[in-house]
Amino acid sequence: FTTELIRAPIDTVVIEPQQTVFIDAVKVSFGIPTQARDDIEFRYTLDGSDPTLESSRYEKPFELASDAIVKVRAFRKDLATTPWNISGVDGSKTVSAIFREAVPLPAVDARTTEPGLHYRSFEESWPVLMAYSGSESVLPVKESGRASRLLAPDDLSRIRKTDRAYAVKYDGFIDVPTTGVYRFFAPSPLYETTQDAGYDLRVWIDGQEWFPNPDLHAENIWSVALVKGLHRFEVSYVDFRWKQFHNDYWMSWNPLQVWTGTPTLEIDGPGIPRQALPATWLRRDPRD
């Protein structure tokens, strides 16, 4: 008998850093964490065109100082022609990333603050809560007060007075410790397809609403550049799960298809590892 080498398909290329904005400049690198790269090379472009064997070969991390559309594709070494742009044993699929230079949002002048956030709770049908809980003065307030943490399960259990849908709107400030790009990570139930999340989460910083990136690069991450100090911070949380499982529309759901638990908003930043948003960063106006 005879043997023949069978190569595994080339896996997805990862573009680092996993963010979409930068301040002044950003250093870009490529890798395939799941695969050895001895016989693989990267070709990339910065003008939005798809990489070919004639495109620039990646040798080491490089710096961007202006907006760019980075596209990269991995190829087996010593190919004579560019293979079709699909995942295969000779070439990976092209992966792209958009990097934009951003001016950091300035800190606000709020001289009198105290720890925690102000909150208001609402009760209504879940479509109404989903539509209006992020708006001001539309829904009647059921309860208000001060929360020492964001989305703390014990606080939410105390605030919730209904067995049906409810919402909590937090507002105050976030006190970031240094100037740089901060990344907010969307909780996985919001984008996974294995279960219905059962809730909605919206976040605003200085009036800008988060938009977790839908693309493969920096997927489900919101990148925002902030100056050290206080920034206006709002979170709208709508929980449309009944305490006892209930299906308003007689769909063929069962309780195992709806996620259970309380979401956690995670963040990282310059020199700051990924973690739940620290309670020590939360401030409020004591007059609220």
Side-chain angles (χ1 to χ4, degrees):
F1 65 90
T2 60
T3 61
E4 183 178 350
L5 176 65
I6 298 177
R7 288 173 165 171
I10 299 178
D11 212 340
T12 304
V13 181
V14 175
I15 303 175
E16 296 287 353
Q18 293 283 307
Q19 64 190 58
T20 55
V21 301
F22 63 91
I23 302 171
D24 297 329
V26 63
K27 185 165 287 189
V28 178
S29 63
F30 309 131
I32 306 179
T34 57
Q35 200 167 38
R37 289 174 37 205
D38 297 341
D39 61 343
I40 293 173
E41 65 180 12
F42 298 118
R43 299 281 179 166
Y44 70 96
T45 63
L46 301 178
D47 60 1
S49 62
D50 287 340
T52 68
L53 293 179
E54 286 70 46
S55 301
S56 299
R57 185 170 64 183
Y58 174 73
E59 303 288 352
K60 61 182 180 179
F62 58 92
E63 190 172 90
L64 293 176
S66 59
D67 296 1
I69 300 176
V70 179
K71 288 192 173 184
V72 60
R73 191 179 182 198
F75 296 101
R76 297 288 180 187
K77 294 179 179 178
D78 302 324
L79 289 178
T81 58
T82 301
W84 289 1
N85 193 3
I86 57 175
S87 297
V89 297
D90 290 329
S92 69
K93 186 172 179 60
T94 297
V95 176
S96 62
I98 298 176
F99 291 97
R100 291 188 174 93
E101 185 177 11
V103 176
L105 299 177
V108 300
D109 183 12
R111 298 179 182 179
T112 304
T113 63
E114 64 181 20
L117 295 170
H118 179 68
Y119 78 84
R120 289 163 291 164
S121 66
F122 313 93
E123 294 176 5
E124 250 294 357
S125 65
W126 70 264
V128 172
L129 293 175
M130 293 278 282
Y132 298 113
S133 65
S135 304
E136 294 297 326
S137 305
V138 176
L139 299 175
V141 176
K142 184 72 175 181
E143 177 183 311
S144 64
R146 185 177 73 87
S148 59
R149 295 172 295 164
L150 179 67
L151 299 172
D154 51 346
D155 285 347
L156 293 176
S157 178
R158 174 184 54 79
I159 292 170
R160 183 179 192 177
K161 301 298 190 297
T162 178
D163 290 341
R164 302 193 179 188
Y166 76 106
V168 179
K169 177 72 178 294
Y170 299 89
D171 64 83
F173 303 92
I174 180 174
D175 190 5
V176 298
T178 186
T179 298
V181 174
Y182 289 82
R183 301 188 302 171
F184 290 81
F185 299 85
S188 58
L190 283 179
Y191 58 83
E192 288 183 347
T193 58
T194 54
Q195 289 182 310
D196 192 311
Y199 68 86
D200 185 45
L201 189 67
R202 299 172 66 184
V203 180
W204 295 263
I205 293 182
D206 293 333
Q208 292 190 13
E209 185 170 2
W210 79 332
F211 185 69
N213 192 37
D215 298 327
L216 183 61
H217 170 256
E219 187 176 16
N220 301 307
I221 298 172
W222 181 40
S223 306
V224 58
L226 303 173
V227 170
K228 175 184 177 180
L230 295 170
H231 296 265
R232 299 193 182 280
F233 182 62
E234 298 173 85
V235 173
S236 174
Y237 171 65
V238 179
D239 190 336
F240 49 89
R241 298 166 293 185
W242 287 35
K243 283 187 178 179
Q244 298 296 322
F245 181 79
H246 178 80
N247 182 355
D248 282 332
Y249 296 108
W250 299 96
M251 298 170 72
S252 57
W253 289 0
N254 66 65
L256 297 180
Q257 290 176 281
V258 180
W259 186 76
T260 58
T262 303
T264 300
L265 183 61
E266 293 185 320
I267 186 175
D268 70 8
I272 302 165
R274 179 173 173 172
Q275 60 189 290
L277 181 62
T280 54
W281 292 14
L282 304 177
R283 308 292 298 182
R284 71 187 290 268
D285 189 327
R287 296 168 295 181
D288 291 339

